[in-house]
Amino acid sequence: MSTLCVRFLLPPMYEAALPRLLLLLGEFSPVVEALPPDAALVDVRGAMRYFGRDAVELASVIRVRALALYGVDCVIGAGPGPMLARMAVRGAAPGVTLAVGPEPDAVAEFLGPKPVAELPGVGRATARTLCSYGLDSVGKVAAAPLSTLQRLVGARAGRELREKAHGIDRARVVPNAAARSLASERPFARDELDPARHRRALLSLTDELGARMRDEDQVCRSLTLTVRYADRSTTTRTRTLPEPTAHSGALTGSAYRMYDALGLQRARVRGISLRAEGLGPAEHAAHQLMFDPVDDRARRIEAVADRARAKFGPGAIVPGTLAA
C-alpha cells in the first residue's frame, strides 16, 4: 500500500479549511494531489521509509493531527494506487482506515463484489450496457474475455475496463496539480425565506466566481449549487454549461435556473454556495458567436469592469442589484 486517499469531514460550506489541511498532509509527503472540495491523494512511499511506519500507521497519525490541530475528523482509504485508494475511502468509517493490500487475491476480494458502476470511468450508459449482458459486478467483468468487453464497449475502453477490473492502475498522484474548481459561499445572518435575497446571493456568487476565473484566464464547464437549510440538511444540484465560460452573465443565468428548479417557496435557507467545476485554460475554450449586440456589449462592459477592479479593488464596480 503506497497511496492514501484522505477525505476530511468538513462542516457544510467550510471548504476554506482545505488548503490548511493540505499543508498538514505535506508534512508527511511532498506528493499530495488536492481533490476539491474535501479530499486529497497522498503518495506515502517515501514517508513509509522515512518514518519507519506502514501506510495504515501513517493514516492514524494524520487523523490524530487533523483532529488535534483543526478539529476535523477524516476517513481514509489506502491502496497500492490512486484508484483503489479512492474506492476504499468510500467504504471507510471515521477512526478506521480501510486498506486494500497489493496482493492479487486481496485486490480481487475487494473489487469482486462491487457493482460495475463503481469502477472509475464507467458511466451510466456503459454500466447499463454491461448489466444488460449480465456483467453487473466487477468480478464478472474481470472474468469476462477481453474480446467480449471490446465488442461491448469498444477496443480501447474494453482494454482499460479489464485492467481496472483486475486492479491495474496506471494513474499516479500528481503533486501541485492545478485547481479543478473554485467555490464561494454566502451564509445568511438568520434563516432567510425571501427568494429575492436568495437570488441576490446567487448574483453575488456568480459575479465573484466569474471575476476570479477571468483573472486567472480560466473557464468552467459546469456549476454546482448547494443550498443549506435551517435543519442543517442540504440540497445539491449540478448543471453542465452549454459551453465553457467565465462570463458572469452566463453563470448567473445557469445559477438562477438551477435555483428555480428547486422550487424553494418558503424554505428557511441558512446559506448558499456555488462551485465552478471543470476548470480549463480560457485560450482553449471556444465561444459560439451569437451576433447579439446585447451579449457583445455585456462582455465589453465586463472587461472594463475587470480592469477597474484590478486598479481600484474588488468593490469598485458591482451589479446594481448588489449596490444597495
Side-chain angles (χ1 to χ4, degrees):
M1 294 173 291
S2 61
T3 305
L4 298 179
C5 184
V6 184
R7 183 168 65 84
F8 297 102
L9 304 179
L10 297 174
M13 304 173 71
Y14 192 61
E15 299 170 7
L18 184 61
R20 288 177 291 168
L21 293 167
L22 294 178
L23 291 176
L24 167 67
L25 297 178
E27 297 176 5
F28 294 86
S29 171
V31 188
V32 178
E33 180 179 354
L35 302 175
D38 59 1
L41 287 170
V42 190
D43 188 328
V44 293
R45 283 176 295 182
M48 289 190 294
R49 291 192 295 269
Y50 182 82
F51 292 105
R53 298 174 181 267
D54 62 24
V56 175
E57 292 173 331
L58 288 173
S60 299
V61 178
I62 289 171
R63 182 181 295 107
V64 170
R65 288 180 64 84
L67 274 170
L69 296 176
Y70 301 105
V72 176
D73 201 354
C74 57
V75 292
I76 303 178
M83 182 188 79
L84 290 172
R86 294 178 73 162
M87 294 181 70
V89 79
R90 298 175 193 165
V96 179
T97 300
L98 181 56
V100 182
E103 301 82 8
D105 290 344
V107 173
E109 182 181 356
F110 173 74
L111 288 177
K114 293 191 175 298
V116 69
E118 290 195 18
L119 277 179
V122 176
R124 292 182 180 179
T126 302
R128 192 162 49 245
T129 299
L130 293 170
C131 290
S132 66
Y133 286 89
L135 302 176
D136 56 353
S137 70
V138 178
K140 293 179 181 178
V141 171
L146 175 59
S147 58
T148 300
L149 298 177
Q150 290 180 323
R151 190 161 56 248
L152 293 177
V153 299
R156 180 178 177 182
R159 184 171 59 254
E160 293 177 352
L161 177 63
R162 192 168 191 272
E163 288 183 350
K164 291 177 180 178
H166 283 89
I168 300 173
D169 185 11
R170 302 188 185 280
R172 294 292 179 267
V173 180
V174 182
N176 302 322
R180 288 174 288 184
S181 64
L182 288 176
S184 189
E185 61 186 86
R186 293 293 181 272
F188 295 113
R190 59 178 182 273
D191 298 340
E192 187 57 67
L193 285 79
D194 187 357
R197 291 185 179 272
H198 300 167
R199 293 173 70 89
R200 193 167 181 263
L202 284 173
L203 176 61
S204 173
L205 288 167
T206 53
D207 190 61
E208 177 189 335
L209 290 179
R212 287 168 63 184
M213 285 190 286
R214 293 191 298 273
D215 183 58
E216 298 175 9
D217 293 323
Q218 292 184 315
V219 293
C220 70
R221 297 181 178 275
S222 61
L223 286 178
T224 295
L225 169 68
T226 301
V227 180
R228 183 161 58 98
Y229 306 106
D231 62 357
R232 298 186 180 275
S233 63
T234 59
T235 299
T236 301
R237 294 290 184 271
T238 299
R239 172 168 295 196
T240 300
L241 302 173
E243 64 181 20
T245 185
H247 178 40
S248 293
L251 299 175
T252 302
S254 293
Y256 281 171
R257 287 190 288 273
M258 279 193 289
Y259 171 81
D260 292 340
L262 295 178
L264 306 179
Q265 297 174 349
R266 296 289 293 172
R268 297 167 57 202
V269 175
R270 186 70 57 84
I272 298 176
S273 68
L274 198 65
R275 172 176 295 281
E277 299 182 318
L279 298 185
E283 60 183 8
H284 296 160
H287 171 55
Q288 176 65 47
L289 297 178
M290 301 177 62
F291 301 103
D292 181 359
V294 175
D295 180 73
D296 217 25
R297 186 163 57 249
R299 291 176 182 271
R300 289 202 301 269
I301 292 173
E302 191 173 70
V304 173
D306 287 342
R307 291 196 293 271
R309 291 185 183 116
K311 186 173 183 179
F312 300 107
I317 297 180
V318 296
T321 304
L322 304 178

